[in-house]
Amino acid sequence: MLIILGVLLLISLVIVHEFGHFIAARRSGIEVEEFGIGFPPRAKILTKKNGTVYTLNWLPLGGFVKLKGEHDSDTTKGSFGAASLRQKVLVMLAGVFMNILAAI
């Protein structure tokens, strides 16, 4: 029972962490393509809202936020590459901030 509780708490902390990145990106004008609970392969699309796909994935030990232009050299408006250095730093630190907030 304790192992199950530990896994659920870990997943919850990861979701809170990723939610921090999500909120900071949206407030910075960076488009969020996907918010995933668990790691791919994708099991189910939960919903699509405001250009973001919310997914449930098969490997339950984590989560992720996929930002537009995060892994390529896209510099169009709304992409991570077009964001200022300050915005990028805020997005990166937001996950850590949410973990600290959750601990408090």
Side-chain angles (χ1 to χ4, degrees), residues 7-21:
V7 169
L8 290 175
L9 286 173
L10 174 67
I11 292 169
S12 298
L13 281 175
V14 170
I15 292 170
V16 166
H17 175 90
E18 294 302 328
F19 187 67
H21 295 306

Side-chain angles (χ1 to χ4, degrees), residues 65-82:
V65 174
K66 182 179 176 190
L67 305 175
K68 178 181 178 185
E70 183 179 13
H71 297 293
D72 55 28
S73 58
D74 188 5
T75 57
T76 59
K77 185 177 180 194
S79 70
F80 187 72

Side-chain angles (χ1 to χ4, degrees), residues 17-26 65 67 91-96:
H17 175 90
E18 294 302 328
F19 187 67
H21 295 306
F22 174 81
I23 292 297
R26 296 288 295 265
V65 174
L67 305 175
V91 170
M92 294 302 197
L93 291 177
V96 175

Side-chain angles (χ1 to χ4, degrees), residues 84-96:
S84 69
L85 178 62
R86 180 180 183 276
Q87 290 171 323
K88 290 176 184 178
V89 169
L90 286 174
V91 170
M92 294 302 197
L93 291 177
V96 175

Side-chain angles (χ1 to χ4, degrees), residues 17-77:
H17 175 90
E18 294 302 328
F19 187 67
H21 295 306
F22 174 81
I23 292 297
R26 296 288 295 265
R27 288 188 177 198
S28 297
I30 300 169
E31 294 178 29
V32 179
E33 296 177 347
E34 184 175 355
F35 184 92
I37 299 172
F39 292 121
R42 184 179 294 165
K44 182 178 182 179
I45 294 176
L46 300 173
T47 187
K48 293 180 184 178
K49 188 175 178 183
N50 297 326
T52 303
V53 179
Y54 298 88
T55 61
L56 185 62
N57 298 290
W58 283 110
L59 301 174
L61 296 176
F64 66 95
V65 174
K66 182 179 176 190
L67 305 175
K68 178 181 178 185
E70 183 179 13
H71 297 293
D72 55 28
S73 58
D74 188 5
T75 57
T76 59
K77 185 177 180 194

